[in-house]
């Protein structure tokens, strides 16, 4: 039975612990490969962030070696900053292009993201929400913020949120400043798939590496289901799992065999 929000419960999210970050990336890439193999026309939900870089490297390698093809797949980004120039290297569309989509055999018209230069951003958010729901995401890759956020759904976001314009928390802007020349350059807002939109995905795969993720991972997987920890919403999903390195898993109380 799904847990009600606020109810304390054990981990409903299956997790696998790998020895290091590289091994988590391979496991996540294995999951994406499995989805593509069973349905070459799959819709893949892509996340950005340092965590995903190894996952994309592994998928690119598999594609370049000829063992995997994205030729019939489509991909959907989770979120995008508002206020960056179209060619800004940290615009998520550009990050994903550089690290993944231009390196594999995806069609150019098979990559979707919120358009943060649209004249009306609320209308654009609603358009993107409809697009993602209509696509039906077969597997959604997710990272987790240090404050437990998923995509840009900050603590306090309702679990039924649709794609919308959001303000980034100070903590998130501070964390993401490492990708910019200065902290002031980090955008104040973004369009993000809402938690409710993300939960529509048929399968969700959360990836986390490093000791700085151990607290949000414990809270998300073993803590109460609460909008104060956006990633705890995954406990409400029927097919959510996590791949964690030893450090990210270090605060979990449940013993699971290491892979
Ligand atoms: C950003 C993204 C999230 C991502 C998070 C963690 O805020 N919007 O989707 O999960 O960063 O990023 P990292 O993997 O760099 O820790």
């Amino acid at each position: 039975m799904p847990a009600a929000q606020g109810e304390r419960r054990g981990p409903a999210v299956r997790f696998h612990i790998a020895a290091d970050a590289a091994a988590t990336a391979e496991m996540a890439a294995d999951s994406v490969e499995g989805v593509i193999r069973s349905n070459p026309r799959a819709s893949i939900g892509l996340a950005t962030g340092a965590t995903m870089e190894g996952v994309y490297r592994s998928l690119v390698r598999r594609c370049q070696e000829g063992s995997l093809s994205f030729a019939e797949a489509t991909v959907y980004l989770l979120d995008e900053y508002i206020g960056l120039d179209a060619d800004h290297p940290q615009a998520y569309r550009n990050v994903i292009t550089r690290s993944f989509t231009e390196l594999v055999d995806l069609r150019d018209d098979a990559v979707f993201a919120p358009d943060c230069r649209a004249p009306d951003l609320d209308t654009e958010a609603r358009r993107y929400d409809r697009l993602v729901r209509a696509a039906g995401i077969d597997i959604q890759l997710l990272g987790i913020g240090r404050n437990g956020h998923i995509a840009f759904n900050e603590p306090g976001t309702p679990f039924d949120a649709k794609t919308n314009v959001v303000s980034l928390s100070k903590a998130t802007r501070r964390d993401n400043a490492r990708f910019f020349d200065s902290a002031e350059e980090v955008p104040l807002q973004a369009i993000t798939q809402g938690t409710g939109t993300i939960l529509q995905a048929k399968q969700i795969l959360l990836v986390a590496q490093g000791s700085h993720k151990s607290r949000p991972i414990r809270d998300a997987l073993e803590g109460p289901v609460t909008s104060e920890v956006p990633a705890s919403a995954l406990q409400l999903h029927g097919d959510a799992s996590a791949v964690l390195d030893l450090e990210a898993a270090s605060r979990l109380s449940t013993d699971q065999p290491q892979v």
Side-chain angles (χ1 to χ4, degrees), residues 72-217:
E72 295 178 72
T74 46
V75 298
Y76 295 82
L77 271 65
L78 274 177
D79 45 12
E80 180 59 283
Y81 288 119
I82 292 172
L84 297 182
D85 290 342
D87 60 355
H88 193 290
Q90 290 309 320
Y92 279 170
R93 177 77 185 226
N94 298 332
V95 171
I96 286 285
T97 300
R98 272 196 317 272
S99 60
F100 183 52
T101 62
E102 73 178 5
L103 305 175
V104 296
D105 58 350
L106 270 163
R107 295 186 324 273
D108 286 345
D109 63 357
V111 182
F112 297 93
D115 176 7
C116 287
R117 284 173 312 284
D120 181 336
L121 294 176
D122 292 323
T123 302
E124 168 58 11
R126 285 195 292 274
R127 179 199 70 83
Y128 193 65
D129 197 79
R130 285 193 300 272
L131 185 77
V132 169
R133 286 173 194 259
I137 301 296
D138 292 290
I139 183 167
Q140 176 65 58
L141 292 171
L142 278 187
I144 187 170
R146 217 189 281 250
N147 64 359
H149 75 233
I150 49 175
F152 275 130
N153 292 280
E154 298 283 23
T157 307
F159 284 169
D160 61 357
K162 294 185 169 180
T163 303
N164 69 124
V165 175
V166 293
S167 296
L168 305 185
S169 69
K170 278 195 185 133
T172 295
R173 293 187 69 233
R174 206 171 35 239
D175 279 349
N176 288 4
R178 68 195 194 278
F179 297 113
F180 291 83
D181 290 338
S182 70
E184 296 71 46
E185 211 198 327
V186 183
L188 295 164
Q189 288 187 303
I191 290 181
T192 184
Q193 284 188 36
T195 304
T197 318
I198 293 168
L199 291 177
Q200 295 291 309
K202 291 168 198 150
Q203 185 185 341
I204 298 179
L205 184 63
L206 178 68
V207 187
Q209 304 148 353
S211 56
H212 60 302
K213 298 295 174 73
S214 63
R215 199 177 293 271
I217 282 295

